[in-house]
Amino acid sequence: MREITEEKLQKYFQIAREALETLEIAVHEKSLLYPVAKDFLTMARSYYEDARYYYEKGDYVTAFAALNYAHGFIDAGVRLGVFKGEDDRLFAFG
């Protein structure tokens, strides 16, 4: 398949939304990794909002790319150990 369908896009929006809603920072506020966790979370949320923006404009390709960046930050944070993410439906390293 060579196109991004409405159904596929909605599926990935739902996964990213659920991941962002359930995500927890796993490191203490005084940890040197806490700013990393906050930055990763900010980036994930920002890319998710970018995806919503492009989706509303009808640019499904850029919306899908932004969703992948958002989830990349989420999964990288889980892998690094700065986020708790145990649901393997939502997190690649859960």
Side-chain angles (χ1 to χ4, degrees), residues 56-67:
E56 294 299 324
K57 290 185 69 161
D59 184 349
Y60 285 16
V61 172
T62 306
F64 191 66
L67 280 172

Side-chain angles (χ1 to χ4, degrees), residues 3 9 13 15 18 20-21 25 34 39 42 49 56 64 68 70 73-74 78-79 83 92 94:
E3 67 181 51
L9 205 49
F13 267 116
I15 291 169
E18 285 184 52
L20 285 168
E21 288 172 355
I25 293 179
Y34 189 76
D39 185 48
T42 296
E49 291 305 317
E56 294 299 324
F64 191 66
N68 280 281
F73 275 100
I74 292 167
V78 171
R79 178 74 169 165
F83 297 147

Side-chain angles (χ1 to χ4, degrees), residues 1 28 36 49 55 57 61 64 78 82 88:
M1 180 170 266
H28 192 276
V36 172
E49 291 305 317
Y55 171 76
K57 290 185 69 161
V61 172
F64 191 66
V78 171
V82 298
D88 62 2

Side-chain angles (χ1 to χ4, degrees), residues 5-23:
T5 63
E6 175 77 22
E7 294 78 19
K8 181 171 283 215
L9 205 49
Q10 289 304 319
K11 173 186 170 185
Y12 286 100
F13 267 116
Q14 180 179 344
I15 291 169
R17 183 174 45 254
E18 285 184 52
L20 285 168
E21 288 172 355
T22 62
L23 198 62

